[in-house]
Amino acid sequence: MAFEVLPDAFHAQEPNVKPQTSNLKPIQDMSTSRRDFLKWTAAGGGGLLLGFTWTGTRALDHIEADGASAVAPVEFNSYLSIAPDGTVSILSPNPEVGQGIKTAFPIIVAEELDVDWTKVKVLQAPLDSKRFERQVAGGSGSIPHSWTRLRKAGATARQMLMEAAAKRWSVPVGELTTDKGTVIHAAGKRKATYGELANEAAQIPVPTDVKLKDKKDFKLIGSSVRNVDNKAITTGKPLFGLDTQREGMLIAMVQHPPTFGNKLKSVDAIAAKAMPGIVDVVTFKDNIAIVGKSTWQVKKARAAVKAEYEKADELESSSDHDRLFREMLASGNATVRRKDGDVEAAFKNAAKVVKAEYQCPFLPHSPLEPMNFFAHVKFDGDKPVSAELIGPTQTPELARNETAKLLGITPDKVTVDLTRQGGGFGRRLKADYVHDAVEVSRLVKAPVKVIWTREDDMTGGSYRPAVRYRFEAALDAQGTMIGYRLRGASINAGNATREHNFPSGAVPNLLIDSVDHKSPITTGAWRAPITNFLAFAEQSFLDEVAQAAGKDPVQFRLDLLEKAKKAPVGDVKYDIDRMIGVIKLAAEKSNWGKKKDVAQGFSVYFSHLSYVAQVGEVVMQKGKPVLQKIYAAADCGIVVNQSGARQQIMGGIVDGLGHAMYGKMTFQNGTPEQTNYNNYRLIRLNEIPEVDVHFVDNGIDPTGLGEPALPPTGAAAANAFFKATGKRLYNQPFAEQELFKGVS
């Protein structure tokens, strides 16, 4: 670990808002040299900056408060700075995609530091893989990964401040306490603010071992804290990639092949180049980039470009996919993912067999902010030597490394500043739109911001894979499930199953396998990959099996979990007690099975280390089933920010319900048929049910929350619709199914 002095000059550049975030300018204006940065921050004197290296062993013992000493570069993971006025600035390294990480990370640091939250300023850190770990927004893994690291960062600073106060007052550290950014010596009736102690703390050797707070003493963690970007968002401050501006910056739009698998044959851009504001029209790979001075000028010129494409040998349509699914489900070449017991014997001797198939379509990600990115490739003659990147990416290190590879330079020559993202849902895990910006900047030798239109965004990939599942369950004469078979047939999903998820481990004879078709239609991670649809299929099927067994759906699941607990079959890779806990909490809060004139449907799922159970409630209105409420019980360990966590649960439910009800992407000869919201349906405000959220308070370290609420939603709704109408839903989107067409 190491620390450095932070001057007033650093804070003077930040807006005077508490708590608030700065724009990106101070970070972007810093020198790329770590040594220069240290000299600059030390120049003004005063204040304390702490940087922590959790993977290295190097540390600075101290730095002179006046900045006279030269300081060697140090690898950091996170920054904590304290100004003389007591203001605490915390750099948040991970991409903010709306999941609230830019608020949650600083909360954890501030809790252990024991500082007044109104004195905290949050700064978005740029990419720096030497100082930071896992600068990624994906897999709901940010809080689980950084929980202890962030706590230690705050606790270490607090310990140093207390030692500085103890030295000043010549008293034992054990006699001191802290509260809201102040060190207190009750016996001597003395106190000093963190700002007053910052310079002295800079002289204290960094402790190698610090005591973390007892969780029962948390003041900030577990409370409701407003998102630190709220004011900037609501007042239109520049936060997002689309807001990026640079002197001399050009705007570019890129026309990709309209059909998956097609190749660019010829381009006629004479008319486009002659239009006002157009700087150039360039091609790279099979793409055409129109470059100009404004978005509107570029968009108009793009329409004037004429292009011919060579068609691919095989162009897939959605009707082809139906055939492919049938073939894959009948295939004898499936990959076995898990096998327990004697499955054939179980089905041969079964008193009853239940079978069902479920299908989901391709889905676009449809983030509110379309793909965009800024790139400035810099040259020495005709040779690229460095690149500056700014924009919304869930994987900034991938963006940097892909850029370096593209330009033939080393990654250290590429800087990446992160903007807030107007949604991602897995789409911004990829770097294809970053490639666009880098390629165009290289070709026109100027700073360029590439902007995708909504049509580009929806038709250019990458989609959620399409999948069809076949389930079979064998029941004995007592209604006990003695056999279970699942086959996942997918297009570009690889393994479309999660073979170790429930009910694996609870059924004595089980077979799970998968078959995959490789398609030119590009696919990728979509919020809660695979489980976003698998959970609907599994939990809907378990309801159907419970009905066939003559058992209550909730009790049926609890009985299976008790079997897995007492006599597990093979590996059980989910926490049985945590799953039981959310099931019982959801049943309790929803008053399961005890309401009149309300049809209830149940679902529970484990994903991204967390557990969420849901109860959907449907009422009949004018002869039509209406989903009016969803209860959600979540076990994600300690809730860092109640406000942010509830928003994540509700957002996941709305996302899951909307796409289960309406979302569908189809193709005709390799060309997407849905191009914008006029023909791609999203859920509407008046269609969102009331959501009642509850958390299990078990005191364990936090687990994921950005994705786990989405998977169980489809089944909670579908099972409630069945209870109300007697009609099962097997395919998404629900709105196209007979249940909603035939009910009057």
Side-chain angles (χ1 to χ4, degrees):
M1 301 178 190
F3 59 88
E4 306 140 40
V5 174
L6 181 72
D8 293 339
F10 183 87
H11 297 286
Q13 298 188 43
E14 305 306 322
N16 186 23
V17 181
K18 306 174 183 178
Q20 185 54 280
T21 59
S22 75
N23 58 31
L24 291 172
K25 186 174 181 180
I27 295 174
Q28 292 167 349
D29 287 349
M30 291 178 185
S31 169
T32 56
S33 164
R34 178 65 188 149
R35 180 181 295 273
D36 289 344
F37 169 68
L38 293 175
K39 290 178 180 177
W40 181 78
T41 57
L48 172 67
L49 173 65
L50 294 175
F52 297 89
T53 301
W54 304 110
T55 56
T57 57
R58 288 188 294 169
L60 295 176
D61 289 333
H62 71 277
I63 180 174
E64 297 296 331
D66 63 2
S69 299
V71 183
V74 177
E75 294 181 357
F76 290 107
N77 184 285
S78 62
Y79 291 111
L80 163 62
S81 65
I82 302 173
D85 67 357
T87 300
V88 177
S89 294
I90 301 172
L91 280 118
S92 185
N94 281 34
E96 173 59 64
V97 199
Q99 82 279 39
I101 205 68
K102 194 175 175 183
T103 304
F105 269 21
I107 285 174
I108 299 169
V109 176
E111 178 66 72
E112 290 290 349
L113 181 60
D114 203 7
V115 67
D116 184 349
W117 181 249
T118 64
K119 287 281 191 177
V120 172
K121 292 180 181 177
V122 179
L123 310 175
Q124 176 67 62
L127 172 68
D128 191 328
S129 54
K130 291 183 178 180
R131 298 197 303 261
F132 304 134
E133 289 186 0
R134 198 189 181 279
Q135 282 186 275
V136 173
S140 301
S142 295
I143 293 292
H145 175 269
S146 299
W147 169 250
T148 301
R149 293 170 174 82
L150 295 168
R151 293 185 69 193
K152 285 182 177 178
T156 300
R158 177 174 173 269
Q159 179 67 25
M160 294 170 69
L161 290 158
M162 292 176 68
E163 289 183 16
K167 186 176 180 180
R168 174 189 285 192
W169 297 328
S170 299
V171 299
V173 174
E175 292 184 6
L176 303 179
T177 59
T178 60
D179 182 52
K180 293 185 177 180
T182 302
V183 180
I184 302 166
H185 183 227
K189 296 183 179 180
R190 287 174 289 198
K191 61 175 63 176
T193 67
Y194 287 175
E196 293 168 341
L197 293 166
N199 285 334
E200 294 163 65
Q203 314 304 318
I204 302 295
V206 179
T208 57
D209 187 27
V210 293
K211 183 179 179 181
L212 301 179
K213 276 188 179 182
D214 191 309
K215 295 171 183 175
K216 66 179 176 57
D217 296 326
F218 285 164
K219 302 172 186 176
L220 192 58
I221 291 175
S223 66
S224 289
V225 179
R226 292 179 180 177
N227 189 293
V228 296
D229 281 340
N230 276 359
K231 185 173 182 179
I233 292 171
T234 56
T235 56
K237 293 293 191 301
L239 286 172
F240 299 91
L242 286 171
D243 297 323
T244 301
Q245 297 292 332
R246 278 291 183 273
E247 185 176 352
M249 184 184 78
L250 300 174
I251 300 296
M253 289 185 178
V254 179
Q255 180 172 312
H256 306 95
T259 299
F260 287 98
N262 276 9
K263 303 294 183 182
L264 182 62
K265 185 177 180 180
S266 65
V267 179
D268 180 355
I270 296 174
K273 287 182 177 181
M275 296 178 72
I278 300 306
V279 174
D280 205 349
V281 176
V282 295
T283 61
F284 59 97
K285 299 177 182 175
D286 294 302
N287 307 309
I288 308 166
I290 299 87
V291 188
K293 296 179 180 179
S294 75
T295 304
W296 180 240
Q297 288 172 326
V298 169
K299 192 173 186 297
K300 287 178 67 178
R302 176 178 173 172
V305 172
K306 299 176 182 178
E308 271 190 277
Y309 294 89
E310 294 180 358
K311 292 185 177 180
D313 293 335
E314 294 184 12
L315 298 176
E316 293 182 359
S317 298
S318 293
S319 57
D320 298 320
H321 298 155
D322 290 336
R323 171 184 54 80
L324 286 168
F325 281 137
R326 291 193 298 272
E327 292 174 355
M328 286 188 282
L329 289 176
S331 173
N333 296 318
T335 300
V336 174
R337 302 295 177 178
R338 176 166 177 157
K339 186 174 183 182
D340 297 325
D342 189 338
V343 179
E344 294 301 324
F347 277 88
K348 182 178 179 181
N349 299 321
K352 183 181 292 186
V353 173
V354 183
K355 298 181 180 181
E357 289 185 13
Y358 299 82
Q359 183 168 324
C360 73
F362 290 98
L363 290 179
H365 294 78
S366 298
L368 184 61
E369 179 189 23
M371 299 301 105
N372 67 89
F373 222 79
F374 170 88
H376 187 188
V377 179
K378 299 172 186 178
F379 292 81
D380 181 2
D382 290 329
K383 182 181 179 181
V385 293
S386 66
E388 177 191 15
L389 303 180
I390 307 172
T393 170
Q394 293 179 244
T395 52
E397 189 169 5
L398 175 67
R400 180 191 66 185
N401 293 345
E402 290 284 300
T403 297
K405 183 179 178 181
L406 196 63
L407 298 176
I409 59 179
T410 56
D412 63 293
K413 300 299 182 184
V414 181
T415 63
V416 185
D417 283 336
L418 306 179
T419 63
R420 189 179 177 93
Q421 301 173 50
F425 315 113
R427 178 63 183 90
R428 289 185 162 99
L429 290 170
K430 291 194 170 185
D432 53 333
Y433 58 102
V434 181
H435 291 175
D436 281 358
V438 175
E439 289 274 23
V440 178
S441 179
R442 176 171 67 171
L443 289 169
V444 300
K445 291 189 175 182
V448 170
K449 179 168 67 176
V450 163
I451 299 174
W452 287 27
T453 65
R454 176 60 60 195
E455 289 80 4
D456 293 334
D457 205 45
M458 194 167 288
T459 62
S462 163
Y463 305 107
R464 179 184 78 171
V467 184
R468 184 178 291 177
Y469 293 105
R470 173 179 291 166
F471 291 87
E472 298 176 84
L475 301 175
D476 65 14
Q478 289 73 44
T480 301
M481 186 160 63
I482 58 173
Y484 181 88
R485 281 196 290 234
L486 163 62
R487 171 166 292 186
S490 60
I491 299 173
N492 288 352
N495 177 15
T497 74
R498 289 293 182 265
E499 61 271 18
H500 298 302
N501 277 9
F502 178 76
S504 295
V507 185
N509 307 289
L510 175 144
L511 174 64
I512 297 177
D513 60 24
S514 66
V515 188
D516 190 56
H517 165 73
K518 299 302 179 187
S519 167
I521 297 173
T522 54
T523 61
W526 194 94
R527 191 176 187 179
I530 303 301
T531 60
N532 56 61
F533 179 79
L534 177 60
F536 156 70
E538 287 180 343
Q539 290 294 306
S540 295
F541 181 66
L542 284 179
D543 251 45
E544 193 164 354
V545 176
Q547 181 192 22
K551 298 182 179 180
D552 174 78
V554 170
Q555 193 59 49
F556 183 71
R557 290 169 173 82
L558 290 173
D559 290 345
L560 283 171
L561 287 165
E562 287 298 332
K563 289 177 184 176
K565 189 172 182 178
K566 293 177 181 177
V569 181
D571 293 336
V572 177
K573 296 190 176 181
Y574 49 91
D575 189 312
I576 296 170
D577 289 330
R578 290 181 71 188
M579 185 170 278
I580 290 174
V582 293
I583 290 175
K584 290 184 175 180
L585 182 60
E588 173 196 338
K589 296 299 181 181
S590 66
N591 203 17
W592 173 259
K594 298 176 183 178
K595 294 183 176 180
K596 293 183 179 180
D597 301 321
V598 175
Q600 294 181 313
F602 188 82
S603 178
V604 62
Y605 216 71
F606 159 64
S607 66
H608 301 88
L609 305 178
S610 293
Y611 300 77
V612 179
Q614 295 179 18
V615 175
E617 293 190 338
V618 169
V619 296
M620 299 300 292
Q621 295 180 357
K622 297 181 180 180
K624 296 182 179 181
V626 176
L627 182 67
Q628 67 173 9
K629 189 168 186 176
I630 292 180
Y631 292 87
D635 179 353
C636 58
I638 292 171
V639 176
V640 174
N641 180 8
Q642 282 282 338
S643 175
R646 290 178 185 279
Q647 294 299 321
Q648 282 302 290
I649 296 291
M650 290 190 282
I653 287 172
V654 172
D655 200 10
L657 177 64
H659 284 91
M661 286 292 303
Y662 308 110
K664 184 179 182 181
M665 198 78 190
T666 58
F667 302 85
Q668 183 63 39
N669 294 324
T671 302
E673 294 186 294
Q674 291 74 33
T675 60
N676 207 318
Y677 295 135
N678 64 312
N679 56 7
Y680 181 79
R681 178 81 150 82
L682 292 175
I683 194 169
R684 296 164 184 160
L685 190 62
N686 66 334
E687 295 164 339
I688 297 173
E690 179 186 352
V691 178
D692 188 4
V693 180
H694 301 272
F695 293 101
V696 174
D697 184 10
N698 55 16
I700 68 173
D701 287 353
T703 51
L705 195 57
E707 293 161 286
L710 187 150
T713 302
N719 291 333
F721 284 131
F722 167 75
K723 188 78 174 196
T725 65
K727 296 181 180 180
R728 294 266 178 206
L729 290 165
Y730 295 103
N731 300 317
Q732 293 184 4
F734 297 162
E736 292 186 359
Q737 307 312 307
E738 190 61 31
L739 185 153
F740 292 95
K741 293 179 179 178
V743 176
S744 60

